[in-house]
Amino acid sequence: MYEGAVQDLIDELGRLPGVGPKSAQRIAFHLLAADPVDVRRLVSALTEVKEKVRFCRICGNVSEQDDCRVCRDPRRDLTVICVVEEPKDVVAIEKTREFRGRYHVLGGAISPIEGVGPDDLRVRELMIRLQDGGVTELILATDPNLEGEATATYLARLVKPMGLRVTRLASGLPVGGDLEYADEVTLGRAFEGRRQVDV
Amino acid sequence: MTLYRDEGVVLRTQKLGEADRIITVLTRRNGRVRAVAKGVRRTRSKFGATVEPFSHVDLQLYVGRSLDIVNQAESLMSYGDALCADYPRYTVGTAVLETAERLTAEEKEPALRLFLLVIGALRALTEGEKDPSMVLDAFLLRAMSVAGYAPALDECAGCGAPGPHRAFSVPAGGTVCSACRPPGAASPSPAALALMRDLLTGEWAAAARSEERTRREGSGLVAAHLQWHLERGLRSLPLVERA
């Protein structure tokens, strides 16, 4: 146990995800020894993230303005919406540079066992966006796990009457991996989604 | 290192750290076990897909200090794929899993009958012949009866007088005679009580003949009885989509 401020800092750091008591102590003493300018920069970064960052009113992604960078971009294809669970999924898809449409961040997946139903996600906002009629394709890019699949099924059923093209991301073998190490469920999906090779 | 092997149904998964998950499994021989599955959230994980909820898996575990650790996992039957493709059945399935978790209060206390009930319910749900809502009610009634909370449906829950009785009281534990009837007891239709008896004993032919209204009434009584005995309500039950 340390005195006052040091112990408070260790306790606060220890509440962060993945930081145990020993790591918290190490970070605290690193900060204590660090240059005051560096510490002030960290402090201002922490305050700014809480003050400036909010959620895009169109897609629900994190943003510093009313609309996020993707929704503001005029070069984006307005006819395609890609539905993801979390803002970090937007970043992951953006890195691929394959997708030129816009996103919709649900804020999680349907998980009845955790008490999370469709009303706890941004499903209603998605329906309002689709009602405008400009969208022709909806890509369901929720996680390829049980909750993600169930959420995709729920959304597909919900938008079916609207007559859109609804697609789901493919599941299959990781690039650069070995076939023999793939688990049977993934390998089965890869077979299901195989495509013709055009030479 | 103490290793053991068991088969079980994955009830729940929780994220742990960067890429691990804690899985809660209802096993055949060891009851409810919580174990760490390391690295399963990575896309390159060998057994990530096998330890999802609704999976019936053959596991090799080693005994850890607080949680056991999954060493190997082999899928025996994956009910999740079929359930995910049908949203109402998925919601029923999650209610089955949550009930199984809540009714096993102690970890590693064998619960073979409950395990068999869960497997039976998941199989009935994926086969798709029976009404999912009735499968759920039948499972809840039988799971409660295994746990010792079976509602009295013939004799009086108070004095044991042979029935059938008309009044049903959740706090009293089932049907009650006119002498034992507490204030506020419900008066369900005889058909709803008959349906509950059929579901508890597995008379599917008789249960299938019941009317929609009777089924809804029966579901209401089963849900009320379950919530009362579990003290804290099931989170998934309000989200179940009944046809």
Side-chain angles (χ1 to χ4, degrees), chain B residues 9-176:
Chain B
V9 178
V10 181
L11 301 180
R12 181 200 284 269
T13 60
Q14 287 153 287
K15 289 180 183 178
L16 177 73
E18 187 84 351
D20 308 341
R21 261 188 227 281
I22 298 177
I23 59 169
T24 308
V25 194
L26 181 63
T27 60
R28 181 183 280 272
R29 285 180 292 278
N30 293 288
R32 180 166 60 89
V33 172
R34 270 157 55 86
V36 178
K38 291 204 184 267
V40 289
R41 278 155 64 203
R42 292 187 212 281
T43 42
R44 276 157 178 267
S45 163
K46 177 89 177 81
F47 57 74
T50 52
V51 289
E52 287 269 87
F54 298 115
S55 292
H56 184 187
V57 282
D58 189 352
L59 293 172
Q60 188 171 60
L61 301 127
Y62 60 83
V63 181
R65 255 175 302 177
S66 60
L67 294 169
D68 294 352
I69 294 166
V70 181
N71 200 357
Q72 285 174 36
E74 192 80 33
S75 171
L76 295 174
M77 182 73 201
S78 173
Y79 297 100
D81 272 1
L83 290 178
C84 277
D86 185 334
Y87 186 72
R89 283 178 200 273
Y90 166 74
T91 58
V92 167
T94 54
V96 168
L97 298 189
E98 194 184 358
T99 309
E101 190 188 12
R102 295 286 301 280
L103 286 176
T104 45
E106 290 290 324
E107 276 184 38
K108 301 221 171 159
E109 195 173 281
L112 176 62
R113 289 180 65 197
L114 188 62
F115 168 78
L116 294 174
L117 278 178
V118 171
I119 294 277
L122 293 181
R123 196 170 292 156
L125 279 176
T126 43
E127 279 168 1
E129 283 166 21
K130 301 186 178 97
D131 174 13
S133 175
M134 287 212 294
V135 172
L136 175 63
D137 290 337
F139 169 79
L140 295 178
L141 282 167
R142 292 182 205 175
M144 280 193 284
S145 115
V146 168
Y149 302 135
L153 294 173
D154 281 310
E155 71 288 345
C156 168
C159 63
H165 303 291
R166 287 298 308 274
F168 187 95
S169 166
V170 169
T175 50
V176 279

Side-chain angles (χ1 to χ4, degrees), chain A residues 18 88 110-118 120 143-147 149-151 153-154 157 174-177 180-186 189, chain B residues 11-15 21 43-47 49-50 52-54 74-75 80-81 84-88 90-91 94 97-98 101 235-236 239 241:
Chain A
K88 53 181 190 273
I110 298 174
S111 173
I113 208 159
E114 307 287 343
V116 180
D120 302 307
D143 286 348
N145 55 25
L146 190 90
E147 281 94 16
E149 294 289 350
T151 310
T153 310
Y154 176 83
R157 193 187 64 169
V175 178
E180 58 169 330
Y181 285 115
D183 67 284
E184 53 261 56
V185 183
T186 309
R189 292 275 186 87
Chain B
L11 301 180
R12 181 200 284 269
T13 60
Q14 287 153 287
K15 289 180 183 178
R21 261 188 227 281
T43 42
R44 276 157 178 267
S45 163
K46 177 89 177 81
F47 57 74
T50 52
E52 287 269 87
F54 298 115
E74 192 80 33
S75 171
D81 272 1
C84 277
D86 185 334
Y87 186 72
Y90 166 74
T91 58
T94 54
L97 298 189
E98 194 184 358
E101 190 188 12
R235 289 206 261 188
S236 51
L239 296 169
E241 273 195 14

Side-chain angles (χ1 to χ4, degrees), chain A residues 112-175:
Chain A
I113 208 159
E114 307 287 343
V116 180
D119 295 342
D120 302 307
L121 305 175
R122 297 183 72 252
V123 173
R124 203 172 303 121
E125 288 87 339
L126 176 66
M127 297 312 285
I128 293 168
R129 282 180 79 181
L130 294 178
Q131 267 158 12
D132 291 350
V135 179
T136 53
E137 182 177 355
L138 188 69
I139 303 173
L140 302 172
T142 48
D143 286 348
N145 55 25
L146 190 90
E147 281 94 16
E149 294 289 350
T151 310
T153 310
Y154 176 83
L155 291 176
R157 193 187 64 169
L158 203 62
V159 300
K160 202 179 176 195
M162 294 180 164
L164 304 172
R165 178 164 182 241
V166 181
T167 52
R168 175 90 177 106
L169 284 196
S171 282
L173 300 170
V175 178

